[in-house]
Amino acid sequence: MLPNPGQPTAAEPFWRIVVDFLPFVLRLFTDPRQLVRSLNWDAPAELSRVALYTLIGLAILVLAFSNNQRLADEVRPPLSGFKGVVMRAHDTSWDWLEPVYAPFHLEPGEAKRLWDTLLTGGFMLYTLLASLIGVAVVARLRMWRFGLGYCHALGTGLLAWLAGTSCIALSLVPLFELLICRECFVRLSLFVLLNLAGWTYAGYYTLADLGERPRRAWLHLLKSLGYGLAQYALAYVVFFALIVAIIPM
């Protein structure tokens, strides 16, 4: 029986809240409807708990994908970490990647040095915090459009960020591995499916605070996908505006 993270109490010790993170994440991905229905946004500690879990998720993503080692000049970067996979992908499939960098007039070495900076812990932390600001802006727009309360709009936005960003970040792994092993198109399928899952989770959680309830499962999933993609695009505009000025070129 999983603990119910939707009913925090003022006396609950901090360590117990942290321990409940893994059961919370399990429910986040396996039973989103029940999780949203169990949350009590009238409890003052509810938004704080969700925010804490979001910060823990942010820290895990940074630790998993960042690497402060300089790998751009390595002849054969190790494939044990994500940065090494990115570097090896540029070496193996520059003919595929060149059109992406052509508008910026970047050569292979310059592109690899760019990723060397983008995948450092500090830069990743800033970019993920920028994406959280984008989620906050979208939450504010939902408050104006649908008359939602602050805790409801921001809290469901944080749930959407945690589920959606996790899926979208994981989708980058099979994408860059595909550039190393071009014959394995299962990785392309994983990239597409993980992105679709991320957008659908984002839409599902934020449709829930509008009082949406599924009539037909497939119809509700399609609606969640469209709504999540629209929110992702809007949040991405805010995110890109916050990081474009500091991207090293």
Side-chain angles (χ1 to χ4, degrees), residues 1 21 44-45 58 83 89 180 204 241-242:
M1 184 69 178
F21 172 72
L58 184 151
K83 182 186 275 191
I180 298 175
Y204 196 101
L242 290 171

Side-chain angles (χ1 to χ4, degrees), residues 21-57:
F21 172 72
L22 289 179
F24 180 90
V25 170
L26 181 62
R27 296 182 64 192
L28 181 79
F29 288 105
T30 61
D31 198 1
R33 186 186 181 194
Q34 186 57 38
L35 175 61
V36 171
R37 293 179 68 182
S38 70
L39 295 174
N40 176 20
W41 296 114
D42 294 326
E46 192 71 85
L47 182 59
S48 298
R49 175 191 287 267
V50 174
L52 174 63
Y53 289 159
T54 302
L55 290 176
I56 294 175

Side-chain angles (χ1 to χ4, degrees), residues 29-176:
F29 288 105
T30 61
D31 198 1
R33 186 186 181 194
Q34 186 57 38
L35 175 61
V36 171
R37 293 179 68 182
S38 70
L39 295 174
N40 176 20
W41 296 114
D42 294 326
E46 192 71 85
L47 182 59
S48 298
R49 175 191 287 267
V50 174
L52 174 63
Y53 289 159
T54 302
L55 290 176
I56 294 175
L58 184 151
I60 291 173
L61 287 174
V62 170
L63 290 174
F65 286 89
S66 67
N67 185 341
N68 290 333
Q69 288 183 293
R70 311 301 296 183
L71 300 180
D73 298 323
E74 293 283 341
V75 177
R76 290 187 63 81
L79 296 178
S80 55
F82 181 66
K83 182 186 275 191
V85 172
V86 172
M87 298 301 172
R88 191 78 69 85
H90 281 74
D91 292 333
T92 306
S93 297
W94 180 251
D95 55 331
W96 285 14
L97 292 171
E98 185 176 12
V100 177
Y101 295 104
F104 307 102
H105 308 291
L106 292 178
E107 297 298 324
E110 295 171 322
K112 290 169 65 177
R113 284 190 288 274
L114 173 63
W115 278 99
D116 229 349
T117 301
L118 295 179
L119 293 176
T120 56
F123 199 95
M124 276 202 66
L125 183 62
Y126 178 81
T127 56
L128 289 174
L129 288 174
S131 68
L132 277 173
I133 294 174
V135 167
V137 171
V138 172
R140 182 60 178 167
L141 293 175
R142 293 206 322 273
M143 289 172 62
W144 284 336
R145 175 65 178 84
F146 301 104
L148 301 171
Y150 171 78
C151 288
H152 230 97
L154 185 57
T156 51
L158 291 177
L159 292 176
W161 183 93
L162 184 55
T165 303
S166 298
C167 290
I168 293 168
L170 287 173
S171 74
L172 296 177
V173 177
L175 175 66
F176 280 102

